[in-house]
Amino acid sequence: MIDNHPVSSSQVVEKGDVDNEENKDSTNETIVTGNPFGKGTSTLSEEDILNYMHGMSHQKVIAEEKWLHYEMTSERIQYLINEIESGDYENEEKYLSILNKWKEGDFSEADKDHNIIWRLQGGTVGEATGVMSAEQEESYLEKYEGKIQ
């Protein structure tokens, strides 16, 4: 089970995880209210979604350059799923495919997921070359502790 702490490669997100900003609907699915990324607006642009997903993926991937650092949490994953499902986004199928894998704790293709997002953003530097081990992820979290949003 994951909560609002960084998502570990070995942890699995479960339906119905509840925190102060979350509620359950009739299907026991977590509903996140309020933007857990701290942005004041309730509507996300395609660029917002790409930036949030890209920044969260950095917690899981090996890449030479990383500029965005967003803590990956179950709350944030569910928030993005909810926003994408209730909005109209050009690449929503790609986003939901990636986010639903992450929601289930599947980070085995996090490098490929990162690179899909990275390419959609026109990336030229910082292509992911692999998935971090649990030890590498811990080192990443320590190294960027003050920079991770």
Side-chain angles (χ1 to χ4, degrees):
M1 179 169 95
I2 47 179
D3 53 18
N4 286 332
H5 302 291
V7 178
S8 167
S9 297
S10 62
Q11 294 175 312
V12 177
V13 179
E14 295 179 6
K15 281 189 177 182
D17 288 348
V18 179
D19 190 39
N20 295 340
E21 294 284 320
E22 301 176 7
N23 298 304
K24 293 181 190 176
D25 68 10
S26 60
T27 64
N28 203 31
E29 184 71 33
T30 301
I31 303 297
V32 180
T33 57
N35 185 335
F37 293 94
K39 186 174 178 181
T41 180
S42 60
T43 305
L44 298 181
S45 68
E46 195 101 11
E47 182 180 353
D48 291 330
I49 290 170
L50 285 165
N51 283 333
Y52 293 153
M53 290 179 68
H54 188 182
M56 287 195 308
S57 74
H58 285 161
Q59 185 173 321
K60 301 292 180 188
V61 302
I62 299 166
E64 285 193 33
E65 298 287 337
K66 297 179 182 182
W67 292 290
L68 294 168
H69 305 280
Y70 285 105
E71 182 178 49
M72 185 179 290
T73 68
S74 59
E75 178 185 23
R76 287 177 166 181
I77 292 168
Q78 189 61 55
Y79 172 75
L80 290 174
I81 290 170
N82 294 346
E83 289 299 307
I84 293 163
E85 287 179 342
S86 65
D88 184 25
Y89 299 97
E90 183 178 344
N91 295 292
E92 62 187 59
E93 287 182 27
K94 289 178 186 175
Y95 304 150
L96 290 173
S97 173
I98 292 168
L99 289 165
N100 280 311
K101 281 191 294 186
W102 293 356
K103 178 181 172 180
E104 296 302 321
D106 180 359
F107 302 103
S108 62
E109 296 182 332
D111 53 343
K112 292 177 180 76
D113 299 338
H114 169 279
N115 291 340
I116 289 168
I117 297 160
W118 178 77
R119 283 187 192 95
L120 288 170
Q121 292 180 303
T124 58
V125 175
E127 183 173 14
T129 58
V131 177
M132 284 193 242
S133 67
E135 294 80 18
Q136 289 171 312
E137 183 177 345
E138 177 129 357
S139 292
Y140 164 83
L141 293 170
E142 289 172 9
K143 178 179 180 179
Y144 292 102
E145 185 174 355
K147 296 179 182 180
I148 298 174
Q149 300 177 43

